[in-house]
Amino acid sequence: MSFGFRVTHTDARARRGVMTTAHGEVQTPAFMPVGTQGAVKGVLHKDLEQLGADILLSNTYHLYLRPGDDLIARRGGLHAFIGWPRPILTDSNGYQMFSLAAQRTVAEDGVQFRSHLDGSAHLLTPEKAVDIQARLGSDIAMVLDECLAHPSGDELIRPSMERTLRWARRARERFLTLYEKRGRESFSGRESSSEGVIVTNGGQAQFGIVQGGVSPELREESARGTVGIGFEAYAIGGLSVGEPTDVMYKIVAGTTRCLPEDRPRYLMGTGTPQDLVESVALGIDLFDCVLPTRNARNGQLFTSEGPVNIKNARYAEDDRPPDPACSCYTCRTFSRAYLRHLFQSGEINASTLNTLHNLHFYLDTLRQIRDAIAFGRFESFRAAFHQSLSRRLHDP
Ligand SMILES: [Zn+2]
């Protein structure tokens, strides 16, 4: 099965659709839980399947450094290695490399960096990022891009955006060489491409990434250039890095207008539940974010009435579920008082139960969004969603 995308319903700029990958379908708009090391921290794959996660995100940077993409290829690819039969997207290395790696030098050829694990030196080129993800065999591979810190001036953003475009051209070239010389459907299981790279998923798709900081002009230029190269779909990168929310929405609104209607649009690394609803309204189809899982481990629960910080003393004898409107296992079974006790005691179950709830909240919000779009009532859903969130004051 090869990659495809079909918009089934539209409601103003919001779209509902189905993305087809080599490992099954993804209902969009979709949220991808983040499984950095091939696992979502605190929960099992079977929990994710029960929660209705169609697709998982894994981090190329981490898997490349440990246990290594060659080792994973020899196990038949990432799906086989981690025991997850559904779609997987691997990021490009870019964001992690720029946030984690030490002694990083960006040059035209690629990025030189030292591993945050053992200090070993690596050169990552756009071609090498393609090869690593071919070995991993994810269903969606991302091109290598350069992520700038916010704020950066146009004098920094322009050369970086232009380099990302040149890298995207090289990445596409490499991808087509690996996959199309033998016909994309001819791969099955473990096979070496003509370039000597073990390709573990012949149906892999490649997404381009639009950069350009917070400059609408540079974003438009980047979008047109990336679309000109021609990828299966397009992502918006380099946002949610500290810019004000209204600036992010403005950039998303402008960029989605430059992206083709018939391809999925992926907003990388975003965001809060409100960000998801607002970005769907602007035409975004795919999201990933560490917020629901990371914040769960820190004791913050996202609820239909705003965040609940379970460690607060006010919950010590609160017998209500975390979110009375939620139907997840955690909310059906446990009280805030018990969850606070688990958190205060440092029990592993605190992370697991909080993560189950937060992922359910995110995935269920997306389910409601998809239904609302299908019934042509996304605007009223959006208004009710924001109203419910603002009903109670922020939990300190
Ligand atoms: Zn819940």
Side-chain angles (χ1 to χ4, degrees):
M1 202 178 352
S2 57
F3 185 84
F5 180 63
R6 192 163 47 91
V7 174
T8 55
H9 306 79
T10 55
D11 188 350
R13 293 184 68 188
R15 314 113 64 84
R16 178 176 173 160
V18 183
M19 182 172 77
T20 310
T21 78
H23 287 83
E25 291 187 340
V26 177
Q27 304 295 322
T28 65
F31 178 79
M32 301 184 274
V34 177
T36 303
Q37 312 274 6
V40 174
K41 287 180 174 50
V43 295
L44 299 174
H45 293 344
K46 66 177 182 183
D47 298 323
L48 297 173
E49 293 190 31
Q50 258 172 16
L51 289 169
D54 281 345
I55 177 169
L56 200 64
L57 179 142
S58 264
N59 290 108
T60 306
Y61 171 86
H62 289 279
L63 295 172
Y64 158 71
L65 291 177
R66 182 180 60 194
D69 44 306
D70 278 318
L71 182 147
I72 291 174
R74 289 193 295 272
R75 316 262 92 64
L78 197 52
H79 293 86
F81 180 58
I82 73 169
W84 171 262
R86 297 186 184 192
I88 299 175
L89 179 146
T90 43
D91 64 10
S92 58
N93 262 340
Y95 183 77
Q96 277 68 28
M97 204 167 44
F98 287 94
S99 58
L100 286 177
Q103 296 176 21
R104 186 187 63 236
T105 322
V106 182
E108 188 58 28
D109 192 34
V111 190
Q112 236 163 352
F113 66 95
R114 286 191 179 276
S115 160
H116 72 289
L117 295 174
D118 60 7
S120 56
H122 300 264
L123 170 68
L124 187 73
T125 63
E127 292 82 5
K128 191 170 173 187
V130 171
D131 293 355
I132 294 169
Q133 293 176 86
R135 293 187 191 101
L136 296 178
S138 51
D139 299 288
I140 298 166
M142 304 300 299
V143 297
L144 179 66
D145 61 334
E146 186 179 0
C147 299
L148 287 179
H150 177 83
S152 295
D154 282 8
E155 73 287 354
L156 282 179
I157 300 173
R158 170 166 285 286
S160 166
M161 179 276 281
E162 290 175 348
R163 179 160 43 222
T164 290
L165 266 182
R166 291 192 295 275
W167 283 359
R169 242 171 251 124
R170 285 167 54 188
R172 189 60 178 174
E173 189 76 13
R174 179 69 180 180
F175 180 84
L176 294 178
T177 303
L178 281 192
Y179 286 85
E180 300 214 329
K181 274 191 176 169
R182 294 177 51 182
R184 300 188 47 173
E185 303 300 328
S186 71
F187 290 107
S188 61
R190 248 188 278 178
E191 286 191 58
S192 287
S193 73
S194 52
E195 304 297 307
V197 175
I198 295 176
V199 171
T200 58
N201 177 2
Q204 189 180 66
Q206 186 186 41
F207 285 15
I209 304 176
V210 176
Q211 286 287 349
V214 293
S215 154
E217 294 73 30
L218 294 178
R219 283 278 169 185
E220 182 173 341
E221 211 177 312
S222 174
R224 302 217 182 279
T226 311
V227 172
I229 297 167
F231 292 92
E232 276 73 38
Y234 302 92
I236 304 175
L239 291 177
S240 281
V241 290
E243 75 283 1
T245 308
D246 58 325
V247 172
M248 179 178 87
Y249 294 158
K250 202 177 113 195
I251 294 297
V252 171
T255 308
T256 50
R257 288 187 195 282
C258 305
L259 297 176
E261 293 285 332
D262 62 348
R263 304 295 167 101
R265 301 162 180 153
Y266 165 28
L267 180 58
M268 300 177 80
T270 302
T272 63
Q274 295 94 315
D275 290 340
L276 267 51
V277 173
E278 288 312 290
S279 302
V280 167
L282 299 171
I284 296 293
D285 308 295
L286 287 171
F287 300 92
D288 79 282
C289 192
V290 294
L291 269 188
T293 42
R294 179 180 292 164
N295 290 19
R297 299 194 300 280
N298 294 329
Q300 188 182 58
L301 298 160
F302 291 96
T303 81
S304 55
E305 298 183 348
V308 166
N309 292 314
I310 205 68
K311 56 179 167 276
N312 286 353
R314 59 197 279 202
Y315 300 123
E317 297 197 47
D318 191 333
D319 296 325
R320 290 174 297 168
D323 184 352
C326 179
S327 63
C328 83
Y329 170 69
T330 304
C331 291
R332 276 188 285 111
T333 321
F334 305 107
S335 64
R336 294 176 183 182
Y338 177 61
L339 292 173
R340 176 173 188 274
H341 158 69
L342 289 181
F343 186 86
Q344 296 298 93
S345 314
E347 280 294 326
I348 293 172
N349 284 6
S351 288
T352 298
L353 293 173
N354 293 349
T355 303
L356 281 178
H357 165 78
N358 275 357
L359 282 179
H360 181 274
F361 183 76
Y362 267 65
L363 293 165
D364 193 56
T365 298
L366 269 298
R367 239 185 319 264
Q368 291 180 46
I369 287 173
R370 291 194 297 270
D371 285 349
I373 296 170
F375 289 105
R377 49 173 183 79
F378 178 67
E379 269 316 306
S380 56
F381 167 82
R382 182 183 172 194
F385 186 83
H386 290 304
Q387 201 185 5
S388 170
L389 280 181
S390 60
R391 209 181 293 149
R392 71 202 275 282
L393 292 172
H394 179 69
D395 192 16

